[in-house]
Amino acid sequence: METQIEKSEILFLYDSTYSIPNGDPFTGEQRYDDETKRILVSDVRIKRFVRDYFIQQNEIEKDKYDVYVFNDKSQIAEGSKESGSSARMKSLRVKYKCEKPDKKKQEEEALNLMKRCIDVRLFGGISTEKEAAVNITGPVQFALLNPSMNKIDLRIHQNTSVFSSSADKSGGAIGTTTVVPYALNQIHGWVNPYSAKNSGLTSDDVQEMFKALWNSINNANTRSKSNQNSVLLLQIVYHTPNDKLYGVDKLVTITSEKDEEQIREMADYQFDFSRLKKEADSEKVKEVRFYTEIEDVKNTLLSLGNEKIKFFDFFTK
């Protein structure tokens, strides 16, 4: 298994139609920047998509992925106040038949156990056990908040439920929320080779994450997330671990004859890859890999005539 990680940046584009790509946990309303009129998707939302995909795949391919961050109560007593981190570590010890070592080696053992989990190797993780406190910085990170590529006017949506708000009422409850008519969401990420050495990240892990990104969006089936589609995945790979381009999140733009707020589908806009083509020629860039299942987008990128911009099928690599 290859362990040498290339420094790279990620742009992942997916669209959402009449949905709530990332609701605020307190209000349930879509995260929104009132000044720029762009919706926002958090890094936590994207990491959750990836973890949920790995967990779902484990139901198909038994224990293909160990995932650290999920609610595992299999090894704790009912009513226990134990932290989720501690409970998960207990479960991993049982799975891998680990006898708790002496105090001097507990931290090392916890570190090795956590590295068995793909989400720790990707995103990092913490253990809060008293004698085995561990904090691993994740080599893969996404922007804290990722703005949509188009401006959006949120739409008020009202609906009724069959169940009444209380048992003594006969009518169903009425709810009001705001939905996003159409958004082209761009997620900006980084892969850091220095942190990768500490987390044990492999190039195979990175490819698995790309699969998870792509498939998790397409497979989302909750009421607020079901109408979403993966559009384009770009990986800008650098020559050295210290290379860096400015403004990678501005390399792809869209143009439209309509006002941005009027966009409702991909047919309403065109991609502009001119800056991507220019920056790909930088001596800092080793190559630009992309994946899409939309032939028009694929053909447009290939027609740029830049040898560094290559179609890369991470599903077969």
Side-chain angles (χ1 to χ4, degrees), residues 27-82:
T27 66
E29 300 297 321
Q30 171 60 47
R31 299 175 189 268
Y32 187 69
D33 187 325
D34 291 298
E35 294 188 3
T36 64
K37 300 183 74 173
R38 299 178 191 274
I39 68 161
L40 304 167
V41 177
S42 72
D43 61 332
V44 174
R45 172 66 269 184
I46 295 303
K47 290 176 181 178
R48 182 176 173 185
F49 273 131
V50 171
R51 287 190 177 102
D52 285 351
Y53 171 82
F54 290 143
I55 292 169
Q56 290 164 2
Q57 287 301 112
N58 280 341
E59 298 177 7
I60 301 171
E61 303 177 67
K62 185 68 174 175
D63 291 333
K64 180 176 181 180
Y65 308 99
D66 274 318
V67 177
Y68 184 66
V69 181
F70 79 97
N71 193 16
D72 184 355
K73 299 181 180 180
S74 62
Q75 301 300 319
I76 60 175
E78 185 176 349
S80 171
K81 301 298 183 182
E82 195 168 3

Side-chain angles (χ1 to χ4, degrees), residues 124-135:
I126 61 172
S127 167
T128 58
E129 292 185 304
K130 186 176 181 181
E131 301 295 337
V134 174
N135 189 342

